[in-house]
């Protein structure tokens, strides 16, 4: 049974104080936070930002006592020798379902009738909650250009997993080559540390367990990890928003404006999404410590014939995130964040509110890729806000005096314990905007009733739900039993309770009924960017625990 990874999605970004727009060049000295020595075990850390139109990879060879030096992969096949550009086109060219080229080399096949090129394929992975329309951003012109109507279909006979496997394999292979040829004794270091290498995947704020599960499977097929268990141990996920805040703070003079108690926002305006997150600075010494203030905003981008629509969407995302809160700084990063037009719109909107828009001028780099490596080594954010309300479907006893129960009386069923029950009540585990720090832990009592003694509990499971509606709900379904539109399955947690079987006893129910009851706890803990879970039960008066496997909701 693999260790549980109930990975939670985090995304954010927006910040800025008052009037003028500050442009900070690419040669600014890194902030003080980057000068602290690394204290962990020696390892290679690789961060991949697979973007809608462009992608990038950063890496570092970290060892105790070293000052972490984050480097970008700047040599890619098909790229001009002197280019040194870390961004590559997110393209995979096919002929008769076979991969012929990726990245810059794949551009040569665009428009050739004998070949099909997969582009903007990241949009196929976006959950419904992120989708505004089917129009992707324009490709090949730094997120500008004429609009398109539909997300381009995948090449004939090729599925989304195959495209991701091909591109991840390409990026990983190129990273290995770059590391070995640009690091002293690089081949020996790579071979010695590759089994414990940390691989960080930067993802949009709106992605969660379904997309993360897809990415882990693709990474395994691409040869980046050896097994599901290996993927659980070595693959980390960070939202593009959180990666970007680490990057922005490392590339600006944050010590000149960041103070304890200060609230600021970060907006990552990328090729397909705008991720906005609000942070509060909890400490500046001896270490910078940040905390998410509320759930982040994440919307899918759409570039029209002018920048008006996407700029307005970005501004509205920021305003919605702030909800009247007063901030002094708004940090703007991402490909579309380089647009002077967007910067001007943000300045016009926020300068009158006492908010200064701060930008980082790194046109050849990907903030999420470099920031993801910084994130892993620095871990500045110690508390994160849940983007959804999370819970499970429970079945309370029917109450004829409860109006909601009466509306659902057609759903009444007779439980093994002799009670009449109503399915569909939403038992909340974690509320939206609830802040989870590194010490977060909650225990949830669960009971299952059986009319006969269970013969197997080897695949015991609980369905975990996410409520994405704006208003609170007490139910997972409507009066007819149909699941509410904004209620979706987040994942299924599975565990093995077989050791409990010998200790089960028959119990007395209502109206003379006899039934069997399985009692257990689901324990949720938080560490880093993942929620982890385990099962706990009692055997003969002794408390036992076991792992849980998290099965993400499948993608269509």
């Amino acid at each position: 049974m693999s260790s549980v990874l109930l990975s939670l999605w985090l995304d954010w970004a927006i910040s800025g104080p008052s009037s003028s727009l500050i442009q900070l060049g690419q040669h600014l000295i890194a902030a003080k936070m980057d000068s602290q020595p690394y204290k962990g075990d020696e390892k290679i850390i690789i961060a991949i930002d697979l973007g809608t139109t462009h992608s990038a990879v950063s890496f570092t060879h970290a060892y105790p006592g070293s000052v972490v030096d984050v480097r970008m992969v700047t040599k890619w096949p098909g790229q001009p020798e002197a280019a040194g550009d870390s961004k590559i086109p997110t393209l995979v060219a096919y002929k008769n379902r076979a991969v012929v080229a990726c990245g810059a080399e794949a551009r040569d096949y665009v428009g050739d009738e004998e070949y099909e090129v997969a582009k903007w394929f990241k949009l196929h992975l976006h959950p419904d909650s992120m989708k505004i329309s089917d129009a992707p951003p324009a490709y090949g012109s730094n997120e500008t250009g004429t609009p398109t109507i539909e997300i381009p279909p995948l090449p004939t006979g090729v599925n989304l997993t195959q495209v991701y496997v091909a591109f991840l394999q390409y990026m990983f292979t190129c990273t290995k080559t770059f590391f070995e040829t640009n690091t002293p004794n690089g081949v020996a270091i790579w071979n010695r540390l590759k089994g414990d290498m940390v691989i960080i995947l930067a993802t949009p704020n709106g992605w969660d367990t379904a997309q993360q599960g897809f990415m882990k499977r693709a990474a395994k097929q691409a040869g980046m990890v050896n097994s599901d268990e290996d993927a659980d141990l070595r693959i980390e996920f960070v939202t593009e928003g959180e990666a970007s805040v680490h990057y922005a703070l490392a590339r600006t003079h944050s010590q000149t404006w960041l103070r304890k108690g200060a609230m600021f926002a970060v907006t990552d305006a990328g090729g397909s999404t705008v991720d906005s997150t609000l942070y509060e600075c909890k400490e500046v010494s001896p270490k910078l410590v940040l905390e998410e203030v509320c759930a982040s905003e994440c919307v899918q981008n759409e570039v029209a014939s002018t920048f008006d629509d996407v700029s307005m969407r970005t501004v509205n995302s920021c305003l919605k995130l702030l909800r009247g809160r007063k901030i002094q700084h708004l940090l703007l990063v991402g490909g579309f964040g380089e647009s002077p037009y967007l910067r001007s719109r943000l300045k016009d909107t926020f300068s009158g509110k006492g908010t200064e828009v701060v930008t980082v001028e790194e046109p050849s780099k990907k903030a999420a890729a470099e920031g993801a490596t910084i994130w892993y080594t620095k871990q500045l954010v110690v508390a994160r806000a849940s983007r959804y309300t999370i819970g499970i479907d429970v079945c309370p006893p029917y109450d004829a005096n409860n109006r909601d129960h009466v509306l659902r009386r057609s759903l009444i069923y007779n439980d093994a314990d002799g009670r009449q029950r109503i399915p569909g009540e939403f038992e909340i585990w974690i509320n939206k905007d609830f802040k989870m720090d590194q010490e977060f832990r909650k225990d949830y009592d669960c009971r299952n009733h059986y009319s006969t003694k269970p013969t197997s509990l080897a695949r015991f499971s609980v369905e975990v739900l996410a409520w994405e509606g704006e208003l609170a709900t007490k139910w997972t379904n409507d009066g007819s039993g149909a699941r509410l539109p904004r209620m979706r399955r987040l994942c299924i947690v599975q565990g093995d309770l077989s050791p409990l079987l010998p200790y089960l006893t028959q119990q007395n129910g209502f109206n003379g009924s006899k039934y069997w009851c399985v009692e257990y706890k689901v324990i949720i803990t938080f560490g880093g960017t993942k929620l982890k879970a385990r099962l706990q039960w009692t055997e003969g008066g002794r408390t036992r625990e076991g792992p849980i496997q998290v099965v993400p909701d499948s993608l269509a």
Side-chain angles (χ1 to χ4, degrees), residues 149-400:
I149 298 174
E150 298 179 349
I151 297 174
L154 298 176
T156 305
V158 178
N159 62 42
L160 188 59
T161 298
Q162 292 171 319
V163 176
Y164 264 89
V165 168
F167 200 73
L168 285 172
Q169 190 174 56
Y170 161 78
M171 296 184 78
F172 191 67
T173 300
C174 292
T175 300
K176 175 178 181 290
T177 300
F178 187 87
F179 182 94
E180 291 178 341
T181 56
N182 291 274
T183 303
N185 202 27
V187 173
I189 294 174
W190 183 280
N191 288 333
R192 177 164 55 85
L193 299 177
K194 63 182 180 181
D196 294 319
M197 179 186 301
V198 175
I199 300 169
I200 306 163
L201 300 177
T203 61
N205 291 0
W207 285 18
D208 52 49
T209 54
Q211 289 75 28
Q212 291 176 2
F214 176 94
M215 293 294 288
K216 284 199 293 185
R217 291 189 295 272
K220 184 181 72 170
Q221 293 182 41
M224 298 164 64
V225 292
N226 301 319
S227 63
D228 291 340
E229 291 75 15
D230 193 30
D232 285 351
L233 289 172
R234 296 202 289 119
I235 293 180
E236 300 283 346
F237 291 95
V238 61
T239 61
E240 293 165 1
E242 187 162 336
S244 295
V245 72
H246 282 76
Y247 171 82
L249 292 178
R251 299 302 178 195
T252 65
H253 290 300
S254 59
Q255 66 269 32
T256 65
W257 58 266
L258 196 54
R259 299 286 183 270
K260 183 176 180 179
M263 197 176 296
F264 68 98
V266 180
T267 292
D268 183 356
S272 67
T273 59
V274 176
D275 294 323
S276 298
T277 309
L278 189 61
Y279 293 99
E280 181 179 356
C281 178
K282 306 301 288 186
E283 298 287 346
V284 293
S285 180
K287 176 185 176 181
L288 183 61
V289 175
L290 305 178
E291 184 177 286
E292 287 182 1
V293 175
C294 60
S296 61
E297 290 292 324
C298 183
V299 296
Q300 181 170 310
N301 229 346
E302 176 186 3
V303 178
S305 54
T306 68
F307 288 122
D308 284 340
D309 291 342
V310 68
S311 297
M312 183 179 298
R313 188 170 297 116
T314 303
V315 171
N316 288 341
S317 174
C318 296
L319 290 172
K320 184 178 179 182
L321 178 75
L322 298 182
R323 296 184 180 91
R325 298 182 181 92
K326 187 173 181 59
I327 62 171
Q328 289 185 313
H329 295 83
L330 188 154
L331 307 185
L332 179 63
V333 297
F336 189 64
E338 298 172 9
S339 163
Y341 181 77
L342 175 59
R343 295 173 182 174
S344 176
R345 288 291 301 272
L346 287 170
K347 175 185 174 182
D348 292 344
T349 301
F350 290 100
S351 61
K353 302 178 184 295
T355 298
E356 184 176 31
V357 178
V358 180
T359 64
V360 182
E361 294 296 326
E362 295 279 358
S364 66
K365 294 185 178 181
K366 292 280 283 184
E370 184 172 341
T373 299
I374 299 172
W375 162 82
Y376 184 82
T377 60
K378 299 300 178 183
Q379 297 287 327
L380 301 180
V381 180
V382 298
R384 298 167 177 88
S386 174
R387 295 188 66 246
Y388 318 107
T389 296
I390 304 167
I392 60 173
D393 186 325
V394 297
C395 305
Y398 176 71
D399 180 359

